[in-house]
Amino acid sequence: MTTTDLPASLISTLPGQYYTDPAIFALEQTRVFETMWFCAVRSADLPTPGKFRKVQVGRESVLVVRGRDGQLRAFLNICRHRGAQICTDDSGEVKRAFQCPYHAWTYDLSGKLVAAPNLTKMPDIDRVQYGLVPVHLREWLGYAWVSLADEPPSFEDDVMGAIADRLGSLDSIDDYELDSLTVGRRITYDVQANWKLIIENFMECYHCATIHPELTEVLPEFADGYAAQFFVGHGAEFGEDVQGFTVDGSEGFDKLPGVDEDHDRRYYAITVRPTVFVNLVPDHVIFHRMFPVSVDRTIVECDWLYTREVVESGKDVSRSVELFHRVNEQDFEACERTQPAMSSRAYANGGVLVPSEHHIGEFHHWLTQRLSD
């Protein structure tokens, strides 16, 4: 059966090769991850000068570091001398400078070349020009977003715009004050599946009644299979007897100070392309960042964000963490179950999307346009 033979209720997915072909993944690295704004690190994870984190963005290793002036900066993790990686640790702290372990070229926290063996005998070297290669960085919602593009796309259009399009305005996300929240729990998942399978799963709720019993108890409308994020400004309402966004529906915490009555007792899901999910509930926020490693492996880092008072007081967050941790595990197991079939002859021309999933077709169109540009 070809796509032209499909009944009106069905539209085609991407063919299986989009989830298995290393050449397509290489294109995604160059035309998606290395050109768009990529959410790299929670700003508060780097609280003092010299704190750094290494992240993989497409094919590039990127260092995000707190400077002596208090500003976050990002650089390619490559020595300008002979190309050795400067940092191999995923995170850490340096006192004043990064030093390449190969030939000891040394760079301060602003990226400037400050020392090297026999450097004084090379007075014609411009220490800024031969400093670390900078990467564009913006901070928003308490996270550092980086772009490897020479000319980054509009942050306002691509990142802020995605959230405004989902919620109806940026005012709504401002009410949750994400930049003032604190990480109460972080869980890292190593998912043996293509990053797009994770995106597609998050975008639809056709599967919710099948694999998310705890979630549909809290959000009964999800049992009908319609994804809340498909409708602009709509938040899925808590069940009548549900007290909080917890694994057993029991009471959570006081709602975040800025959350108004219109957003109370509601859940909002947002996708920010290419690799971010934002989940808003009245008393906390769940923030996913994906790091595609290969065509069939994706690291997902998930933060549960609460008010500083909740975290510092030592209140038990386990019931609210457990709800979405189960959702994550259920979703990722489904994606891992799907990944092997992407190379089957039965999926050579793709699968199909039912009406409640048709909006995923727009994601597929967006992706194929970027890969063909």
Side-chain angles (χ1 to χ4, degrees):
M1 178 179 289
T2 66
T3 56
T4 56
D5 297 325
L6 292 176
S9 295
L10 303 178
I11 62 175
S12 181
T13 69
L14 293 171
Q17 65 175 334
Y18 275 80
Y19 307 87
T20 61
D21 188 344
I24 291 178
F25 183 72
L27 269 182
E28 292 170 344
Q29 288 181 305
T30 58
R31 298 186 183 180
V32 178
F33 310 134
E34 295 176 17
T35 60
M36 300 184 68
W37 287 100
F38 192 97
C39 192
V41 61
R42 181 78 180 166
S43 299
D45 288 348
L46 308 176
T48 55
K51 288 279 190 180
F52 71 87
R53 178 158 179 191
K54 179 182 66 135
V55 295
Q56 191 71 24
V57 182
R59 298 163 300 169
E60 297 285 3
S61 177
V62 176
L63 287 176
V64 182
V65 61
R66 180 78 64 183
R68 300 196 64 78
D69 58 359
Q71 298 298 308
L72 285 182
R73 293 180 177 84
F75 306 98
L76 297 184
N77 184 25
I78 300 295
C79 180
R80 298 298 305 281
H81 173 221
R82 296 271 295 281
Q85 276 207 354
I86 293 171
C87 292
T88 55
D89 292 337
D90 289 338
S91 61
E93 182 176 9
V94 293
K95 289 184 177 180
R96 292 184 175 274
F98 293 103
Q99 186 175 82
C100 177
Y102 193 5
H103 296 92
W105 278 39
T106 304
Y107 306 87
D108 69 16
L109 301 184
S110 70
K112 180 181 177 181
L113 177 66
V114 293
N118 304 317
L119 184 60
T120 56
K121 297 180 180 178
M122 297 176 278
D124 56 335
I125 291 182
D126 185 320
R127 298 191 181 201
V128 173
Q129 181 182 355
Y130 284 89
L132 298 177
V133 176
V135 172
H136 300 281
L137 183 147
R138 287 280 300 266
E139 290 186 77
W140 192 51
L141 303 180
Y143 288 85
W145 308 66
V146 299
S147 175
L148 298 179
D150 292 335
E151 296 288 338
S154 167
F155 190 86
E156 289 71 20
D157 290 345
D158 281 14
V159 179
M160 294 179 172
I163 290 181
D165 288 347
R166 166 67 183 95
L167 297 179
S169 75
L170 277 180
D171 293 340
S172 296
I173 194 76
D174 291 341
D175 292 342
Y176 290 82
E177 300 178 353
L178 270 75
D179 56 349
S180 71
L181 301 182
T182 300
V183 177
R185 187 73 57 84
R186 173 174 293 158
I187 300 177
T188 301
Y189 305 86
D190 192 338
V191 187
Q192 306 303 304
N194 186 273
W195 68 281
K196 295 185 293 299
L197 292 177
I198 301 173
I199 291 271
E200 293 159 7
N201 173 276
F202 185 73
M203 290 181 68
E204 53 92 358
C205 210
Y206 190 48
H207 67 277
C208 287
T210 308
I211 71 171
H212 295 320
E214 299 88 357
L215 184 64
T216 52
E217 281 291 320
V218 174
L219 304 173
E221 70 178 68
F222 274 14
D224 295 331
Y226 286 92
Q229 65 177 313
F230 176 67
F231 305 100
V232 175
H234 176 72
E237 192 170 2
F238 291 9
E240 185 175 340
D241 297 327
V242 170
Q243 294 180 288
F245 198 75
T246 58
V247 70
D248 56 4
S250 59
E251 186 176 4
F253 306 106
D254 293 339
K255 66 183 175 69
L256 301 173
V259 175
D260 58 29
E261 293 301 319
D262 290 341
H263 296 94
D264 195 11
R265 294 183 57 78
R266 290 184 179 274
Y267 162 79
Y268 298 84
I270 308 164
T271 302
V272 182
R273 296 171 184 167
T275 55
V276 168
F277 305 147
V278 185
N279 306 271
L280 307 173
V281 293
D283 62 340
H284 65 283
V285 173
I286 306 144
F287 199 101
H288 295 70
R289 284 167 290 143
M290 291 195 297
F291 299 88
V293 177
S294 65
V295 73
D296 57 1
R297 182 181 175 217
T298 308
I299 302 298
V300 183
E301 195 166 274
C302 187
D303 291 342
W304 280 260
L305 306 171
Y306 302 86
T307 64
R308 187 173 300 277
E309 185 274 330
V310 165
V311 176
E312 292 183 349
S313 66
K315 292 182 179 179
D316 184 9
V317 300
S318 61
R319 285 178 294 111
S320 59
V321 169
E322 182 63 22
L323 175 56
F324 227 88
H325 174 53
R326 290 193 191 182
V327 171
N328 285 338
E329 289 190 318
Q330 291 155 354
D331 280 339
F332 300 154
E333 181 183 0
C335 293
E336 291 181 336
R337 180 187 293 269
T338 304
Q339 180 66 38
M342 296 297 98
S343 58
S344 168
R345 69 182 71 180
Y347 213 81
N349 294 321
V352 293
L353 301 170
V354 302
S356 63
E357 304 170 303
H358 280 191
H359 57 290
I360 296 175
E362 190 277 328
F363 167 64
H364 293 160
H365 176 72
W366 167 84
L367 179 72
T368 54
Q369 284 293 108
R370 290 197 73 91
L371 299 187
S372 63
D373 285 345

